[in-house]
Amino acid sequence: MIRSHVLICAGTGCTSSGSKAVREALEKELVRRELDSEVKVVQTGCFGLCALGPIMIIYPEGTFYSRVTEKDVPEIVEEHLLKGRLVQRLVYNDTGDGSEDKSNPVSLNETGFYKKQRRVALRNCGVINPESIDEYIAMDGYSALGKALTGMTPDEVIKLIKDSGLRGRGGGGFPTGTKWQFAANSVSDKKYVVCNADEGDPGAFMDRSVLEGDPHAVIEAMAIAGYAIGADEGYIYVRAEYPIAIERLEIAIAQAREYNLLGKDIFGSGFNFDIQLRFGAGAFVCGEETALLTSIEGNRGEPRPRPPFPAVKGLFGQPTIINNVETYANIAQIILKGPEWFASMGTEKSKGTKVFALGGKIMHTGLVEIPMGTTLREILFEIGGGIPNGKKFKAAQTGGPSGGCIPASLIDTPIDYDSLISIGAMMGSGGLIVMDEDTCMVDIAKFFLEFTVDESCGKCVPCRIGTRRMLEILDRITSGKGEEGDIEKLEELGNNIKSTSLCALGQTAPNPVLSTIRYFRDEYEAHIKEKRCPAGRCKALASYTIISDACRGCSLCSKKCPVGAISGEIKKPYVIDQSKCIKCGVCMETCKFSAIEKK
Amino acid sequence: MKTLAELAAIKAKMQEKVAMREGAASTRIVVGMATCGIAAGARPVLNAFVEEINKEGLFDKVTVTQTGCIGICQFEPVVEVYTPDNEKVTYVKMTAEKVKRVVSEHIKGGNIVSEYTIGNAK
């Protein structure tokens, strides 16, 4: 008889920090201690607190252990599972208010990281075993599909989704119910349901976590969508770089077929639906819906002009709905709990919750799901644990290379679709990259633009050539060769590219540049006019000098300097010859007296 | 799957297996599992509780956990039962046999099995 469940995260984050070895060691140790018939080990999806992985939760107590290694396993088995005593040094107990008492563990929902979260799309991640359809069913899985097929008309399903106010979670924020309505209205004997799991934004991994932690939620929602619009075939387009997600999807699809939750005559309703996987080869543009459809068709992933929209003429020329993973992950809950429940969360025009991937200069790197309208301050400082090393918050980038930055002065902006657009950023798929005072905003704009230049498919001129010209200007500015008028050129080019590109890749590529100019114009000006990088990131603009009062004349820096730019007499202040200096920074790292400064 | 009833059957079968992860059970049965407890036979007692609770279908209302030594080693195996009103009852010198009565009379019936409690221990 099982008396305890040990949940171990098997998401990508914890897998890379060694959760598989922990699981194997635990299973072995349980056999050795003859506890294997009393304690069940369950692998789950992502808990969200990726920075503290591998993560382990032991029920019924609900004890949360973080950074568990193989070596900790014998102690956990002996102390916790056998004797019922906490392994205090591993307990994660940060309530976010500074009071940490390891001997008195708080429940997961009381920790600072979780207490403001509201998990809808991630509800089963970290709770069930994603490779067990039975556990999904135990959590009301497939009952939304059953309810729709046996008790609702397709129109009723669409109306319900419309009433909930759900908007697409992939970035654009188009109302999901309206999209379904368009596809349902299109007359054709063949229609398709597509899931966009080609998550390409640097720093975004919420779709991966849903697929890894709760793959059946996506499958169930796609079947519901198929019923709503009259489609019998679905495709999930997932990145080949997500091997764990692919494996779990394959297992989940096989299990659903076995239970006849995919296949013919589901729930005896006469409705047929099946799903196939297609793997993306890693082109960012394939996350754009028309390029994705072109890629599924077996062609080179290039976007096509809209209209016609996919709802009219999509995959193989047939009416198609294409939604993002996170959008699908909300559907079953909306059907079961009602549109009013969903609409009670969030703001007037942005209902429900949104998952964000926190990355960059933040304590708790990981996944968080919050009601729409939560402020950036709450996300960063209450849930995210603030900025490490006592640094100051400077800006956050939302929407990855398609989005924009939110400066510190707007930290109290409620996060929803419309307020982000109004400040020149966008929701995007939910990557949230945090930057501290050491980040150069010109450099970060260049980083994102480099990405889009690389990923431009080359089909249309503004995107292919325009973004490259912008990058050349940024290169010039960051290497100290910026010219008067460069900022204006960037703005003009950027606005033209936005209005003339064929697809969303080009239409949004200038955003990081335009939004950093909007909020950090002074930094651009400092680079161009004073040839100075205020954050000290742009190497070509840095200059190292020795503070003569602090220099003891130890000569260490001059010995380490690779180009012999530092000279002087022992026990007297040394000097750096600026014409020889290559700005490598070795002298500063070497100096024991902090006598070298970088400007 | 042809009917909703089939789905409901799987759900019912699985629910007891995942209910433990929901937390928030109102009654707690805590078994002393320090060296003294284990030596006195706390393991079979713990397992008997888990078995009985599941058999009676009380898994969503009751959790069974362990704790360390509470200092009355001569009375081990010691079991503490916390009911929703936060009352604590301490049973001593427990056996798997006694567990059945505690579950049926106390946990289910609400009547403390006073002859097993520490107050009546000799």
Side-chain angles (χ1 to χ4, degrees), chain A residues 29 54 135 187 196 232 289 320-321 324 354 373 440 499 551 578:
Chain A
E29 186 68 13
E135 289 200 1
V187 182
N196 184 345
D232 63 354
E289 60 178 18
T320 302
I321 51 167
N324 157 276
K354 177 78 192 88
C440 168
S499 51
C551 179
Q578 295 299 335

PDB file of all heavy atoms in Angstrom, chain A residues 29 54 135 187 196 232 289 320-321 324 354 373 440 499 551 578:
ATOM      1  N   GLU A  29      17.548   3.192  -3.796  1.00  0.00           N
ATOM      2  CA  GLU A  29      17.622   3.288  -2.336  1.00  0.00           C
ATOM      3  C   GLU A  29      16.332   2.767  -1.684  1.00  0.00           C
ATOM      4  O   GLU A  29      16.376   2.117  -0.638  1.00  0.00           O
ATOM      5  CB  GLU A  29      17.889   4.752  -1.946  1.00  0.00           C
ATOM      6  CG  GLU A  29      18.143   4.995  -0.476  1.00  0.00           C
ATOM      7  CD  GLU A  29      19.457   4.399   0.039  1.00  0.00           C
ATOM      8  OE1 GLU A  29      20.302   3.993  -0.800  1.00  0.00           O
ATOM      9  OE2 GLU A  29      19.620   4.330   1.276  1.00  0.00           O
ATOM     10  N   PRO A  54      17.611  20.224  -9.106  1.00  0.00           N
ATOM     11  CA  PRO A  54      16.401  19.401  -9.217  1.00  0.00           C
ATOM     12  C   PRO A  54      15.470  19.579  -8.009  1.00  0.00           C
ATOM     13  O   PRO A  54      15.943  19.679  -6.888  1.00  0.00           O
ATOM     14  CB  PRO A  54      16.955  17.973  -9.232  1.00  0.00           C
ATOM     15  CG  PRO A  54      18.387  18.089  -9.560  1.00  0.00           C
ATOM     16  CD  PRO A  54      18.823  19.414  -9.045  1.00  0.00           C
ATOM     17  N   GLU A 135      -3.530   9.440 -14.647  1.00  0.00           N
ATOM     18  CA  GLU A 135      -3.396  10.546 -13.692  1.00  0.00           C
ATOM     19  C   GLU A 135      -4.032  11.817 -14.249  1.00  0.00           C
ATOM     20  O   GLU A 135      -4.623  12.607 -13.515  1.00  0.00           O
ATOM     21  CB  GLU A 135      -1.913  10.784 -13.330  1.00  0.00           C
ATOM     22  CG  GLU A 135      -1.348   9.674 -12.467  1.00  0.00           C
ATOM     23  CD  GLU A 135      -0.091  10.081 -11.688  1.00  0.00           C
ATOM     24  OE1 GLU A 135       0.343  11.249 -11.792  1.00  0.00           O
ATOM     25  OE2 GLU A 135       0.440   9.218 -10.974  1.00  0.00           O
ATOM     26  N   VAL A 187     -16.874  26.940 -45.408  1.00  0.00           N
ATOM     27  CA  VAL A 187     -17.498  25.700 -45.868  1.00  0.00           C
ATOM     28  C   VAL A 187     -16.459  24.839 -46.586  1.00  0.00           C
ATOM     29  O   VAL A 187     -15.817  25.290 -47.532  1.00  0.00           O
ATOM     30  CB  VAL A 187     -18.676  25.993 -46.812  1.00  0.00           C
ATOM     31  CG1 VAL A 187     -19.352  24.681 -47.239  1.00  0.00           C
ATOM     32  CG2 VAL A 187     -19.673  26.910 -46.119  1.00  0.00           C
ATOM     33  N   ASN A 196       0.616  25.355 -32.659  1.00  0.00           N
ATOM     34  CA  ASN A 196       1.915  25.990 -32.862  1.00  0.00           C
ATOM     35  C   ASN A 196       2.769  25.769 -31.614  1.00  0.00           C
ATOM     36  O   ASN A 196       2.577  26.415 -30.593  1.00  0.00           O
ATOM     37  CB  ASN A 196       1.714  27.479 -33.135  1.00  0.00           C
ATOM     38  CG  ASN A 196       3.016  28.188 -33.453  1.00  0.00           C
ATOM     39  OD1 ASN A 196       4.103  27.656 -33.210  1.00  0.00           O
ATOM     40  ND2 ASN A 196       2.918  29.383 -33.989  1.00  0.00           N
ATOM     41  N   ASP A 232     -11.306  16.870 -38.610  1.00  0.00           N
ATOM     42  CA  ASP A 232     -11.048  15.533 -38.079  1.00  0.00           C
ATOM     43  C   ASP A 232      -9.557  15.225 -38.006  1.00  0.00           C
ATOM     44  O   ASP A 232      -9.168  14.103 -37.710  1.00  0.00           O
ATOM     45  CB  ASP A 232     -11.773  14.460 -38.918  1.00  0.00           C
ATOM     46  CG  ASP A 232     -11.263  14.421 -40.343  1.00  0.00           C
ATOM     47  OD1 ASP A 232     -10.443  15.285 -40.710  1.00  0.00           O
ATOM     48  OD2 ASP A 232     -11.698  13.529 -41.095  1.00  0.00           O
ATOM     49  N   GLU A 289       2.519  31.912 -38.333  1.00  0.00           N
ATOM     50  CA  GLU A 289       1.541  30.864 -38.651  1.00  0.00           C
ATOM     51  C   GLU A 289       1.546  30.415 -40.113  1.00  0.00           C
ATOM     52  O   GLU A 289       1.479  29.225 -40.400  1.00  0.00           O
ATOM     53  CB  GLU A 289       0.131  31.260 -38.204  1.00  0.00           C
ATOM     54  CG  GLU A 289      -0.414  32.522 -38.820  1.00  0.00           C
ATOM     55  CD  GLU A 289      -1.844  32.810 -38.341  1.00  0.00           C
ATOM     56  OE1 GLU A 289      -2.252  32.235 -37.318  1.00  0.00           O
ATOM     57  OE2 GLU A 289      -2.539  33.583 -39.012  1.00  0.00           O
ATOM     58  N   THR A 320      -8.367  26.250 -41.571  1.00  0.00           N
ATOM     59  CA  THR A 320      -7.496  25.740 -40.512  1.00  0.00           C
ATOM     60  C   THR A 320      -7.517  26.705 -39.339  1.00  0.00           C
ATOM     61  O   THR A 320      -7.484  27.916 -39.542  1.00  0.00           O
ATOM     62  CB  THR A 320      -6.046  25.653 -41.042  1.00  0.00           C
ATOM     63  OG1 THR A 320      -6.027  24.809 -42.185  1.00  0.00           O
ATOM     64  CG2 THR A 320      -5.093  25.106 -39.990  1.00  0.00           C
ATOM     65  N   ILE A 321      -7.564  26.157 -38.114  1.00  0.00           N
ATOM     66  CA  ILE A 321      -7.256  27.047 -36.992  1.00  0.00           C
ATOM     67  C   ILE A 321      -5.899  26.676 -36.454  1.00  0.00           C
ATOM     68  O   ILE A 321      -5.530  25.505 -36.384  1.00  0.00           O
ATOM     69  CB  ILE A 321      -8.290  27.027 -35.840  1.00  0.00           C
ATOM     70  CG1 ILE A 321      -8.573  25.615 -35.383  1.00  0.00           C
ATOM     71  CG2 ILE A 321      -9.537  27.767 -36.188  1.00  0.00           C
ATOM     72  CD1 ILE A 321      -9.318  25.579 -34.082  1.00  0.00           C
ATOM     73  N   ASN A 324      -1.710  28.518 -30.257  1.00  0.00           N
ATOM     74  CA  ASN A 324      -0.487  28.244 -29.521  1.00  0.00           C
ATOM     75  C   ASN A 324      -0.745  27.246 -28.380  1.00  0.00           C
ATOM     76  O   ASN A 324      -1.876  27.074 -27.932  1.00  0.00           O
ATOM     77  CB  ASN A 324       0.015  29.609 -29.022  1.00  0.00           C
ATOM     78  CG  ASN A 324       0.900  29.524 -27.833  1.00  0.00           C
ATOM     79  OD1 ASN A 324       0.437  29.465 -26.707  1.00  0.00           O
ATOM     80  ND2 ASN A 324       2.179  29.503 -28.085  1.00  0.00           N
ATOM     81  N   LYS A 354      -1.526  34.431 -17.537  1.00  0.00           N
ATOM     82  CA  LYS A 354      -0.485  34.306 -18.556  1.00  0.00           C
ATOM     83  C   LYS A 354       0.754  33.705 -17.898  1.00  0.00           C
ATOM     84  O   LYS A 354       1.105  34.074 -16.784  1.00  0.00           O
ATOM     85  CB  LYS A 354      -0.163  35.689 -19.134  1.00  0.00           C
ATOM     86  CG  LYS A 354       0.962  35.708 -20.168  1.00  0.00           C
ATOM     87  CD  LYS A 354       0.484  35.208 -21.537  1.00  0.00           C
ATOM     88  CE  LYS A 354       1.641  34.944 -22.493  1.00  0.00           C
ATOM     89  NZ  LYS A 354       2.201  33.594 -22.404  1.00  0.00           N
ATOM     90  N   GLY A 373      -2.864  41.548 -15.633  1.00  0.00           N
ATOM     91  CA  GLY A 373      -3.053  42.766 -14.861  1.00  0.00           C
ATOM     92  C   GLY A 373      -2.141  42.852 -13.644  1.00  0.00           C
ATOM     93  O   GLY A 373      -2.103  43.875 -12.965  1.00  0.00           O
ATOM     94  N   CYS A 440      23.813  47.352 -21.149  1.00  0.00           N
ATOM     95  CA  CYS A 440      23.778  48.477 -22.083  1.00  0.00           C
ATOM     96  C   CYS A 440      22.595  48.278 -23.018  1.00  0.00           C
ATOM     97  O   CYS A 440      22.469  47.239 -23.656  1.00  0.00           O
ATOM     98  CB  CYS A 440      25.080  48.532 -22.882  1.00  0.00           C
ATOM     99  SG  CYS A 440      24.983  49.645 -24.281  1.00  0.00           S
ATOM    100  N   SER A 499       6.139  48.694 -41.345  1.00  0.00           N
ATOM    101  CA  SER A 499       4.907  48.859 -42.119  1.00  0.00           C
ATOM    102  C   SER A 499       4.953  48.149 -43.471  1.00  0.00           C
ATOM    103  O   SER A 499       3.930  48.022 -44.131  1.00  0.00           O
ATOM    104  CB  SER A 499       4.569  50.341 -42.299  1.00  0.00           C
ATOM    105  OG  SER A 499       5.692  51.022 -42.797  1.00  0.00           O
ATOM    106  N   CYS A 551      46.959  53.383  -6.384  1.00  0.00           N
ATOM    107  CA  CYS A 551      47.959  52.440  -6.900  1.00  0.00           C
ATOM    108  C   CYS A 551      49.158  52.353  -5.968  1.00  0.00           C
ATOM    109  O   CYS A 551      49.727  53.371  -5.565  1.00  0.00           O
ATOM    110  CB  CYS A 551      48.405  52.873  -8.303  1.00  0.00           C
ATOM    111  SG  CYS A 551      49.666  51.790  -9.004  1.00  0.00           S
ATOM    112  N   GLN A 578      46.855  54.554 -23.452  1.00  0.00           N
ATOM    113  CA  GLN A 578      45.549  54.327 -24.095  1.00  0.00           C
ATOM    114  C   GLN A 578      45.685  53.907 -25.563  1.00  0.00           C
ATOM    115  O   GLN A 578      44.817  53.228 -26.099  1.00  0.00           O
ATOM    116  CB  GLN A 578      44.674  55.588 -23.989  1.00  0.00           C
ATOM    117  CG  GLN A 578      44.292  55.955 -22.555  1.00  0.00           C
ATOM    118  CD  GLN A 578      43.471  54.872 -21.844  1.00  0.00           C
ATOM    119  OE1 GLN A 578      42.794  54.077 -22.473  1.00  0.00           O
ATOM    120  NE2 GLN A 578      43.559  54.823 -20.512  1.00  0.00           N
TER     121      GLN A 578
END
